[in-house]
């Protein structure tokens, strides 16, 4: 499963308090960023698996994916929690993560704007489905917290084709509407 986090929500609620300048400061306004790529079972997922790879992501490797995940802390966490369970080396895991992110088109409606807007979780999913041929409503879920868009979760096969994932779909946001804070 590929989790794309809506960075403005994180920065508004958590990131600024942590002085997360790479994701929440500076001159670059982030929209959707990769929050995770992990093996997803029909029920649950593994996490923090033993591996021969280091827990620490080398700086050069981490910096090579900062365009997708603009936080070295999140990159390291993603590897330890999810990548360690992938059966891949760190290099291969981040290469697959880049390919998975490249497989998903973020709808134009999330690229700009200056104010928060209200949408339904189903509208978010519909925009992604319309922008990604082959993506169906049972292969995507919108996550929310505190009435705001948190992330979009998209299920993929090992070959990065979209696939049904009923458990993820069922765990999606059930709010009638959510706020989408603007990038920046």
């Amino acid at each position: 499963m590929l989790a794309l986090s809506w960075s403005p929500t994180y920065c508004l609620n958590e990131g600024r308090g942590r002085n997360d300048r790479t994701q929440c400061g500076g001159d670059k306004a982030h929209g959707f960023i990769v929050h995770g790529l992990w093996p997803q079972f029909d029920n649950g997922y593994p996490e923090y698996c033993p591996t021969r790879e280091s827990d620490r992501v080398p700086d050069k490797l981490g910096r090579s994916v900062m365009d997708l995940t603009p936080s070295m802390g999140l990159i390291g966490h993603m590897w330890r929690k999810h990548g360690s369970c992938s059966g891949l080396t760190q290099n291969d895991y981040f290469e697959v993560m880049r390919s998975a992110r490249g497989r998903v088109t973020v709808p134009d409606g999330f690229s700009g704007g200056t104010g928060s807007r209200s949408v339904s979780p189903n509208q978010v999913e519909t925009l992604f489905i319309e922008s990604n041929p082959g993506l169906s409503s049972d292969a995507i879920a919108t996550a929310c917290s505190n009435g705001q868009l948190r992330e979009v979760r998209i299920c993929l096969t090992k070959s990065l084709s979209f696939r049904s994932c009923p458990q993820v779909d069922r765990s999606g946001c059930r709010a009638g509407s959510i706020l989408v804070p603007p990038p920046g």
Side-chain angles (χ1 to χ4, degrees), residues 87-129:
L88 300 171
T89 65
Q90 285 184 358
N91 284 328
D92 290 346
Y93 173 75
F94 287 111
E95 187 176 305
V96 170
M97 183 187 86
R98 180 171 294 285
S99 295
R101 175 59 187 88
R103 175 74 172 90
V104 175
T105 300
V106 172
D108 289 337
F110 292 99
S111 60
T114 56
S116 292
R117 59 193 163 112
S118 181
V119 298
S120 74
N122 285 340
Q123 286 173 305
V124 172
E125 293 174 20
T126 297
L127 288 171
F128 270 86
I129 291 167

Side-chain angles (χ1 to χ4, degrees), residues 3-184:
L4 299 175
S5 177
W6 184 242
S7 186
T9 299
Y10 167 77
C11 291
L12 186 65
N13 296 309
E14 300 164 56
R16 287 202 171 90
R18 293 182 181 165
N19 276 334
D20 192 344
R21 295 174 204 262
T22 56
Q23 184 173 341
C24 302
D27 58 352
K28 179 135 170 92
H30 298 284
F32 280 105
I33 65 162
V34 176
H35 178 226
L37 176 68
W38 59 84
Q40 179 70 42
F41 301 139
D42 288 335
N43 290 303
Y45 54 88
E47 55 186 347
Y48 301 106
C49 299
T51 178
R52 291 181 182 200
E53 293 280 311
S54 172
D55 278 350
R56 190 171 189 295
V57 175
D59 190 63
K60 183 177 179 181
L61 177 58
R63 299 230 173 263
S64 75
V65 293
M66 291 277 292
D67 60 316
L68 303 176
T69 304
S71 166
M72 285 297 288
L74 179 54
I75 290 167
H77 170 75
M78 193 178 350
W79 165 255
R80 287 185 299 278
K81 185 172 183 178
H82 305 300
S84 64
C85 299
S86 68
L88 300 171
T89 65
Q90 285 184 358
N91 284 328
D92 290 346
Y93 173 75
F94 287 111
E95 187 176 305
V96 170
M97 183 187 86
R98 180 171 294 285
S99 295
R101 175 59 187 88
R103 175 74 172 90
V104 175
T105 300
V106 172
D108 289 337
F110 292 99
S111 60
T114 56
S116 292
R117 59 193 163 112
S118 181
V119 298
S120 74
N122 285 340
Q123 286 173 305
V124 172
E125 293 174 20
T126 297
L127 288 171
F128 270 86
I129 291 167
E130 290 172 350
S131 298
N132 292 278
L135 180 62
S136 62
S137 62
D138 64 351
I140 183 172
T142 301
C144 61
S145 62
N146 300 320
Q148 297 175 322
L149 174 62
R150 184 73 171 179
E151 66 185 19
V152 172
R153 299 171 180 162
I154 299 172
C155 294
L156 302 164
T157 64
K158 286 182 181 182
S159 61
L160 304 181
S161 297
F162 299 121
R163 75 166 187 92
S164 172
C165 52
Q167 180 194 22
V168 172
D169 185 45
R170 282 191 304 272
S171 69
C173 180
R174 299 292 176 235
S177 68
I178 53 176
L179 284 178
V180 180

